[in-house]
Amino acid sequence: KQEVTQIPAALSVPEGENLVLNCSFTDSAIYNLQWFRQDPGKGLTSLLLIQSSQREQTSGRLNASLDKSSGRSTLYIAASQPGDSATYLCAVRGNNAGNMLTFGGGTRLMVKP
Amino acid sequence: AAGVIQSPRHLIKEKRETATLKCYPIPRHDTVYWYQQGPGQDPQFLISFYEKMQSDKGSIPDRFSAQQFSDYHSELNMSSLELGDSALYFCASSPGRGYEQYFGPGTRLTVT
């Protein structure tokens, strides 16, 4: 059974810092990996999708990398802003898991002005 | 751009009552997924549909059922509600299986 872990569980940084969020998964046979943002009590906003054949994806100040063989993905946020404060979730779709996404526990990010 | 629509956004029910949650996928998306997110927990996959047929089944209780209709909207029916069913219920859609999933705003169900 696929298990997804995110470290750290919570992170507080001053505005302007570059930061890295980590995601690890136990079964490397994945189809793709998605990073989401969730504001408190709100829905999930898809940030980046990385297919299993890709090494990284970029969108604005966000860069996500994927190392499938080691079961790891990182989300890099450049020049963090207070508006980046949210919970960031990674989710994996396995090759043998049908269409379901397996989510990590999330990293709760606070960017202080 | 059109997004996934869920209704209602908030729902309060009593124990043992029934609830129906609705999901309208993004136009031309034929795949719908349901997830449950309990307080302080990550989303858990319940069930999905592709072209109006059940595609995958996750940790959906037997008290729950779902279907996808001819216009691709989906409904999650929940019976004999329990306190533990209180959660955010998300619907997501994608243009086929394996593609990026786009999530709706969720329905917050409170069972009292």
Side-chain angles (χ1 to χ4, degrees):
Chain A
K1 179 187 173 185
Q2 179 75 269
E3 292 184 3
V4 182
T5 304
Q6 290 187 244
I7 294 174
L11 183 63
S12 180
V13 299
E15 181 178 5
E17 273 203 8
N18 302 324
L19 53 100
V20 175
L21 308 182
N22 297 292
C23 171
S24 62
F25 43 94
T26 55
D27 187 348
S28 61
I30 67 167
Y31 191 86
N32 59 40
L33 182 147
Q34 266 183 274
W35 281 94
F36 293 89
R37 168 188 172 137
Q38 185 175 31
D39 293 284
K42 303 293 185 181
L44 301 169
T45 301
S46 180
L47 299 173
L48 290 164
L49 170 75
I50 308 178
Q51 300 291 353
S52 62
S53 58
Q54 297 175 318
R55 295 295 295 239
E56 66 178 307
Q57 281 284 351
T58 298
S59 176
R61 294 182 294 108
L62 305 179
N63 175 277
S65 67
L66 174 65
D67 184 342
K68 197 173 66 168
S69 61
S70 67
R72 293 179 184 176
S73 176
T74 61
L75 179 66
Y76 176 83
I77 303 177
S80 59
Q81 303 171 358
D84 295 331
S85 298
T87 295
Y88 290 80
L89 294 154
C90 73
V92 168
R93 183 197 165 201
N95 280 336
N96 302 314
N99 297 309
M100 62 182 285
L101 290 177
T102 301
F103 283 82
T107 293
R108 193 168 60 254
L109 174 65
M110 172 73 71
V111 181
K112 299 179 179 179
Chain B
V4 176
I5 297 172
Q6 291 188 245
S7 68
R9 295 293 309 278
H10 302 273
L11 189 58
I12 300 175
K13 291 286 186 178
E14 295 186 355
K15 282 174 54 178
R16 293 179 288 278
E17 285 191 321
T18 62
T20 297
L21 310 186
K22 297 185 179 182
C23 170
Y24 298 87
I26 292 172
R28 292 181 295 280
H29 283 196
D30 54 12
T31 308
V32 168
Y33 316 79
W34 287 96
Y35 293 84
Q36 177 192 57
Q37 185 177 31
Q41 299 179 359
D42 50 274
Q44 296 292 317
F45 173 75
L46 294 178
I47 195 167
S48 65
F49 294 87
Y50 169 67
E51 280 292 344
K52 293 154 279 185
M53 299 288 290
Q54 181 181 307
S55 176
D56 297 287
K57 196 170 183 180
S59 52
I60 184 169
D62 292 339
R63 299 178 289 109
F64 295 5
S65 65
Q67 58 182 320
Q68 185 178 31
F69 295 85
S70 58
D71 64 350
Y72 295 102
H73 94 272
S74 178
E75 295 184 4
L76 177 65
N77 299 293
M78 311 160 70
S79 62
S80 303
L81 287 170
E82 301 174 356
L83 296 178
D85 296 329
S86 296
L88 260 175
Y89 289 84
F90 289 109
C91 171
S93 73
S94 67
R97 291 176 292 184
Y99 289 85
E100 186 171 2
Q101 295 185 22
Y102 295 86
F103 280 69
T107 293
R108 181 173 295 282
L109 172 66
T110 302
V111 181
T112 62

